[in-house]
Amino acid sequence: MNLIDYFERNIDQTPDRDAIVFQDRTWTYRSSDRLACRIANGLRRLGVVRETKCAVISRNCDLAFIVLLGILKARGTWVPLNAGNAEEDQRYIVRFFDVEVLFYQKEFESLAKSVQNENKAVRHFICLDGDGECGPGLETWAAGHDDESVSIPFDPDGMAMLRGTGGTTGRPKAVMNTNRNFTTMIANYLSRMGAAGGSVYLAAAPLSHAACMFAFLNIAMGGKMVILPRFDALAVLESIQAHRVSLIYLPPTAIYGLLSHPRAQEFDYSSLRYFLYGAAPMSAAKLAEAIALFGKVMTQAYGQHEAPAGITFLSPEEHFDEEGRIDERRLRSCGRPATFTRVALMDDEGRIVERGEVGEIVVQGDIVMRGYYKNPEATEEVSRHGWHHTGDVAYEDEDGYLYICDRKKEMIITGGFNVYPLEVEQVILSHPAIQDCAVVGVPDEKWGEAIKAVVELKTNQTVDGEALIAMCRERLGAVKAPKSVDFVENLPRSAVGKVMRRAVRDRYWQGQTRLV
């Protein structure tokens, strides 16, 4: 099926069922479809054809999601932009990903203006929340087009999404996710969770990330989505009770915020069936707390952009042993291979390792991306030996559960977001007092990994650590800025003088049971 087909099916079966709730607005499947059709027909008039890139920069809202539906109906490719990224990153993605249409909220008018001034390939700008300086308001623009249903050919290998993931150079690679990828992802989850209709999904994490993947899982179940504009711990807790939420996804950092909220014990969570967590390692102790608070509903999803949310799965029941007690060891597992995904552990020579031995997690199947856009070399590198290489190192226990213990890649996952050290290092090295530096991820109860800069100063130079953090926050955004700075006399170097980032990192992970 095409990704949009899961939504289309509900138009036929339950058109008057509530589909989207955002603040004081409620959309049924029928009413949201009418707007999505207007958007699709408008995009076609603008020249959008199969795999035309259409970007969206927005906080969580109903209109941004309906725009996504319209893009898919027009057979375009959705390019999600992270609202938390620095503007330079967003401009790079728009340029390198060959975006032709940009939907934006007024909050991002400065981005739209800079793109309009420097990138003539972006031909059309549409503002989600009223007329903008760069283009018309969405509802005014859409009203000029009819809401007739759009015929969509079956296109399993069509690119539904083009999204950025970090690279060793600090610039994002473009992951081509197809309709087939998402159908496999949905099948993986439904095979383990069931397909009962009428679910209520709470979208509290950014819909530009994994939260959107689970939105389509919810659509496949004929469910309703309640959207929060941003993560707020109290709003999440209140919404679970008020809307009788049955499905939610949050990264570990956000879950820790729920657990520490002083009013966490006041609400009724009995409606929850699945509380999905992933995108970063979760503290086993905090996971046990979450089970105590929310019940036997915690569900782990392990994946990556290149194999979206469908590599392994740890069901609520698998968090417990045969006697019904929390399995302390199992809490550190990322689960067993998903139903329709082939998973193995491989050594550096391309051999599948024996159970109990450590190897890189490799994946085969329809969950794996089409490749990296305009980057055949990177695609070939990550597809060695006929498998997709995740960069995560793990071992398998006697029951078939995988335990991630390290990462071959140097990417830092902090609060569910990918950060590459070199990009942060380049900013720090631009300061005149800095001789050299290494940026690493260090263990952190809240973030999973926190970004730390280890800095070597030039002779007779000084700089305040908070000043370096502020500089990075201004240049890169809060997500990529270090949480702390350590100063050392000499960084460890190889025989050719290269800073050994791994040696720096290892000092902070001594005594840890896992290294990511």
Side-chain angles (χ1 to χ4, degrees), residues 109 114 133 169 193 197 214-215 223 227 236 257 262 284 287 319 324 331 333 338 367 370 388 435 478 507 510:
E109 191 83 59
S114 63
E133 296 180 40
T169 63
M193 295 168 54
F214 297 117
I227 302 175
V236 170
L287 181 52
H319 290 70
L331 297 189
S333 170
I367 197 73
R370 198 166 85 187
H388 169 71
Q435 177 67 32
R507 295 206 308 264
Q510 290 180 5

Side-chain angles (χ1 to χ4, degrees), residues 15 137 175 445 453:
V175 176
E445 278 292 303

Side-chain angles (χ1 to χ4, degrees), residues 257-295:
L258 302 183
L259 297 176
S260 63
H261 196 279
R263 296 185 58 192
Q265 300 292 336
E266 297 180 17
F267 301 97
D268 177 10
Y269 309 118
S270 61
S271 62
L272 283 174
R273 294 181 60 202
Y274 296 99
F275 195 138
L276 290 156
Y277 64 96
M282 185 165 178
S283 158
K286 296 290 187 183
L287 181 52
E289 285 184 41
I291 293 171
L293 178 63
F294 298 112

